[in-house]
Amino acid sequence: MNVFVDAIAWLLDPAQYTGTNSVPVLIGQQLYYTFISVLIAALIALPIGWAIGHTGRGREFAVAISGAARAIPSFGLLILLILLLGVTRKTEAAFVTFVVLAIPPLLAGAYSGLQAIDGRTIDAARAVGMTEWQILWRVEVPLGLPLLVGGLRSAVLQVVATVTIAGYTDLGGLGFRIIQGIDLRAIDQVLGAALVLALLALVLDALLALLQRWTAPRGIRVASAAPERRRPVAATA
């Protein structure tokens, strides 16, 4: 219990909020690596996922690639890339590592969102004369957004947690304080930085959960929010 008290005391210490390695600066670095990596991964994964979901071709290939990418150990990949690219390109190596980690959930969310749409909806769109491009952007993408945001939610949470390993290569982020605390055997610093990271992940998850709910079609939101109506009991003689 004293460990948690010490961690809270470390967090409340004004010294942790000043300087180049202050907690707010490290949180900003953590978010910077996370958002840039997820954005790059989205630019790669979304067009491929939408093409697979729209045409129905290549799903097995996408599943295989996603499974292989998930199996790669992030820390091992980061160290390998630093060895290959050189220590002067640690930032690029970190971004490649985080992008590889973010691609599988985004890819899965993109194509599964389109494949989950009722085929009769697509047939109705074709029946009214929509082109394939119009069907994709005006029907499939809007209806597939909830699952896509679910993939985004998973990608962001995985990356924001994994960015911590950037501390091993002196790239900043909350991992810097965690690694530094381990070296100094400062358990209060390690636990305090870990608590900040956990809180950051919970806040991001809550925001993306709200976004996922908001992107659901209005009819589904209304149906899920409406209280279940009870059927009137038939009068008996």
Side-chain angles (χ1 to χ4, degrees), residues 25 31 64 82 90 95 162 170 196-197 209:
V25 171
L31 293 175
I82 291 176
K90 293 186 293 185
F95 274 122
T162 308
D170 296 328
V196 174
L197 178 61

Side-chain angles (χ1 to χ4, degrees), residues 158-172:
Q158 290 182 33
V159 173
V160 77
T162 308
V163 166
T164 308
I165 66 176
Y168 280 102
T169 56
D170 296 328
L171 291 177

Side-chain angles (χ1 to χ4, degrees), residues 57-140:
R57 303 191 190 110
R59 185 177 182 276
E60 294 78 9
F61 175 77
V63 171
I65 294 297
S66 298
R70 291 176 190 271
I72 298 175
S74 301
F75 183 66
L77 178 60
L78 175 61
I79 299 302
L80 176 62
L81 290 173
I82 291 176
L83 293 175
L84 293 176
L85 299 177
V87 294
T88 59
R89 298 198 173 261
K90 293 186 293 185
T91 302
E92 291 85 345
F95 274 122
V96 172
T97 301
F98 304 144
V99 168
V100 169
L101 180 66
I103 284 178
L106 287 170
L107 182 62
Y111 72 72
S112 62
L114 269 60
Q115 290 185 339
I117 300 172
D118 193 336
R120 291 173 295 183
T121 303
I122 308 302
D123 293 338
R126 290 195 177 101
V128 299
M130 282 188 175
T131 64
E132 294 301 312
W133 190 255
Q134 289 174 326
I135 291 173
L136 174 63
W137 287 108
R138 297 174 62 180
V139 178
E140 291 179 319

Side-chain angles (χ1 to χ4, degrees), residues 3 5 7-8 10 17 22 29 56 63 69 71 79 89 93 105 108 139 155 166 173-174 181 184 186 195 201:
V3 176
V5 174
I8 297 300
W10 181 86
Y17 299 90
S22 64
Q29 293 172 345
V63 171
I79 299 302
R89 298 198 173 261
V139 178
L174 292 167
L184 298 175
L195 289 174

